[in-house]
Amino acid sequence: MTVHLYPLANGLSTDHPVPGLPFVDDSHIPLDEGPEAIEAVGRNQGEGMWGRYDPHRASGGWRAFTTDPLDNSLGWSVRYHPEHGRTVLLMKDDDTSSLHSTWDGEQLLFRAGGYWFDGAAWYRPGQVWDPVEQDYEKRKARAAVTVSAADMLDRRADEARAAFLDVSDIDAEAPTPAVENWADHLAMWAAIRRDLDGALPLEKCVVDLATPELTGAQLIGVPEMAELGGITASTLRAYISRGNSEVPQPQALVGGRDQWARAVADDWAEARQRSYEGVRATMSAGDRDQLSRGAAEVRDHFADDFQNTLWGRPDVRKRWILRARNENSVREIADALAWNVASSLDRILPTNVIGHTVESAVLHDFADAIDLDREVQAGPKKPARAKEWLHLYISRPIAEMLTWFIRHHPESAHHYIGEITREAHTRWEIPAKDTLYTLRQYAVVEGRLSAEEADAFFNLLTPPEKND
């Protein structure tokens, strides 16, 4: 889940000022002394203070944050890249660690409600989860152009009309008002940089992006956004008021109303479809109980079964008369209904499907165990046998499923464990007793079989002693 973070101000030493935010004096933070010095400002310096830095090995840069020593409700977040310079932001102190984690990736800076820049290209806010990469999909903004400080400087701007602030001028609990004459403040910031040795050229100082996705014609409000997401406008407003971070940050504020880029809204709608709620809705039976199709089939089967039991059988139906309504009668009927469910487990979870699945899963774990043991033995590549394995294992979820299978369908489990034993011997020459010993141990330790139950069941699988 993404986290919405809102910087309060630009540090005066930043290379990449956020449009509209004021500039704050950061000279009391040792930004030029490296990340360790920044961390040391807040780390273990007092209650409510903290600091941290981490290298960014992919780029050779680093990121750091610290509680501000003058106002502990505020904090500084710094991201440094050897080629693209540094971003210095004043944040709520509670937000610095979240931004620090976000900066662990390729994101150098954020603009326009979550659009991000990696030094070469701009991407839309990450919303659609890629289960293979275990990260949000990177979706490039269309025809995006980087707007530098050099591009933004206005000849009519007057740095004399601007002034930077002190930390004491910023209230962490109050939203920072947008600076109306921000062009003057940008000019002031640029003038201060002229006297700095080694300052990043203004042409490389990223201020904003321009893309067709952010033009006025491509912005939509709450009603259109809600329609794309398949919810009502009031529901979307409720999400926003509760700070639901699954709703993307708006890209603009027009006439006091939030506006989103249509491309961002489309990504949000797609993310909703791919979410657990979206999957549930897609596979819903579309009936009164909002069940999945399989669950609805189970319900319908037992509804008919219970109807036949309760009304179709004269011996049960007569118990509805008043004098037969007593605890014993209700218990007998309840037992009859419960028996219907217990004897119909195969309709809920087909045993042949479970059996093949458990067999394949156990053999897969055996194969992993044997491959690992071969690596541990550190000898020349072995033939496809397992005579010198160190130990076999199966993972906990598979052990739990195996035990469930034994407890609920012992006769089918007996058959498929026999298949596992035969296949393990055929593939790797594993003796039956070793396979059965492994499965028994995991059924007891990770499953819900007692030692006595496991012994009784697995003894029935042990091959008979051969007589000479």
Side-chain angles (χ1 to χ4, degrees):
M1 182 180 292
T2 57
V3 178
H4 296 172
L5 302 171
Y6 299 93
L8 302 174
N10 295 298
L12 197 58
S13 300
T14 191
D15 290 325
H16 308 295
V18 178
L21 292 184
F23 291 89
V24 172
D25 182 13
D26 54 21
S27 59
H28 60 300
I29 304 298
L31 298 171
D32 295 327
E33 297 178 23
E36 297 94 335
I38 297 172
E39 175 191 80
V41 171
R43 193 175 186 91
N44 298 321
Q45 294 302 310
E47 185 176 355
M49 297 187 68
W50 193 244
R52 175 171 176 166
Y53 85 91
D54 288 282
H56 194 270
R57 292 179 174 81
S59 67
W62 49 264
R63 63 195 196 280
F65 71 88
T66 183
T67 303
D68 186 272
L70 305 178
D71 184 345
N72 294 170
S73 67
L74 301 171
W76 293 93
S77 292
V78 186
R79 172 75 150 87
Y80 172 76
H81 189 283
E83 179 184 353
H84 300 290
R86 68 187 175 193
T87 294
V88 183
L89 294 173
L90 184 64
M91 312 280 296
K92 289 183 179 180
D93 190 52
D94 291 341
D95 289 343
T96 54
S97 60
S98 296
L99 180 57
H100 188 81
S101 298
T102 303
W103 270 340
D104 183 40
E106 301 172 272
Q107 299 91 334
L108 291 177
L109 47 87
F110 299 88
R111 296 292 184 270
Y115 278 77
W116 58 276
F117 185 61
D118 68 353
W122 286 92
Y123 299 87
R124 294 200 292 274
Q127 298 186 85
V128 180
W129 185 256
D130 183 339
V132 176
E133 296 294 332
Q134 286 295 292
D135 200 355
Y136 292 102
E137 287 188 11
K138 294 171 57 177
R139 297 188 171 183
K140 281 189 177 182
R142 286 182 282 113
V145 176
T146 300
V147 180
S148 70
D151 299 325
M152 289 283 287
L153 285 174
D154 189 339
R155 294 180 182 177
R156 296 168 295 179
D158 184 358
E159 61 190 75
R161 293 196 296 258
F164 57 82
L165 304 177
D166 291 324
V167 168
S168 59
D169 297 316
I170 302 297
D171 183 353
E173 299 306 318
T176 304
V179 179
E180 294 183 359
N181 61 325
W182 196 74
D184 297 332
H185 288 254
L186 183 66
M188 173 202 67
W189 167 82
I192 293 174
R193 292 176 64 84
R194 282 197 292 266
D195 299 328
L196 298 177
D197 294 334
L200 196 69
L202 293 179
E203 291 78 10
K204 291 187 175 182
C205 294
V206 178
V207 176
D208 211 344
L209 80 154
T211 167
E213 296 181 9
L214 296 175
T215 59
Q218 293 297 314
L219 296 178
I220 62 174
V222 167
E224 299 89 345
M225 178 85 165
E227 183 178 359
L228 283 174
I231 57 177
T232 65
S234 60
T235 298
L236 178 56
R237 291 191 182 97
Y239 286 170
I240 296 170
S241 67
R242 293 198 300 265
N244 187 326
S245 61
E246 292 179 359
V247 179
Q249 294 183 51
Q251 276 62 65
L253 192 67
V254 180
R257 300 185 178 216
D258 291 336
Q259 300 280 294
W260 289 267
R262 175 62 186 252
V264 173
D266 286 339
D267 287 349
W268 174 67
E270 181 180 344
R272 281 181 57 80
Q273 290 177 342
R274 292 172 178 262
S275 68
Y276 290 147
E277 292 78 7
V279 171
R280 183 163 52 247
T282 298
M283 297 305 295
S284 170
D287 66 358
R288 65 189 183 278
D289 296 323
Q290 298 181 337
L291 296 172
S292 66
R293 295 169 189 175
E297 290 174 1
V298 171
R299 178 204 59 199
D300 293 343
H301 164 73
F302 285 111
D304 291 340
D305 208 11
F306 292 169
Q307 169 72 15
N308 292 333
T309 300
L310 296 173
W311 194 254
R313 288 173 47 183
D315 61 317
V316 175
R317 192 193 323 171
K318 68 181 182 181
R319 302 193 182 195
W320 295 114
I321 62 176
L322 186 60
R323 67 173 181 273
R325 295 180 193 174
N326 53 63
E327 184 177 354
N328 288 336
S329 293
V330 172
R331 167 54 65 186
E332 290 176 9
I333 294 172
D335 287 344
L337 297 179
W339 181 87
N340 285 343
V341 175
S343 64
S344 301
L345 284 179
D346 191 55
R347 293 188 61 93
I348 302 173
L349 293 170
T351 54
N352 64 319
V353 175
I354 297 174
H356 282 294
T357 303
V358 170
E359 178 185 347
S360 297
V362 169
L363 292 172
H364 178 273
D365 276 5
F366 278 11
D368 281 348
I370 291 167
D371 287 343
L372 178 62
D373 288 340
R374 286 172 179 164
E375 294 177 10
V376 172
Q377 290 167 15
K381 188 170 181 179
K382 309 262 177 158
R385 298 184 179 186
K387 286 186 176 180
E388 297 97 8
W389 66 86
L390 298 178
H391 71 279
L392 296 171
Y393 63 77
I394 56 176
S395 62
R396 181 173 186 175
I398 294 173
E400 291 179 352
M401 189 68 241
L402 174 68
T403 307
W404 184 96
F405 196 28
I406 294 170
R407 295 181 71 246
H408 290 78
H409 301 287
E411 67 287 352
S412 294
H414 183 279
H415 168 76
Y416 283 102
I417 292 175
E419 289 294 301
I420 291 171
T421 304
R422 180 186 62 81
E423 187 67 20
H425 184 267
T426 301
R427 288 193 197 179
W428 303 295
E429 298 186 10
I430 301 175
K433 63 181 181 62
D434 293 320
T435 297
L436 295 174
Y437 174 80
T438 298
L439 299 182
R440 181 205 172 281
Q441 292 298 101
Y442 278 95
V444 172
V445 175
E446 303 291 359
R448 292 177 54 193
L449 280 185
S450 67
E452 293 75 15
E453 290 173 328
D455 286 339
F457 178 79
F458 281 94
N459 283 342
L460 299 176
L461 284 156
T462 304
E465 296 289 339
K466 294 182 179 180
N467 296 320
D468 293 334

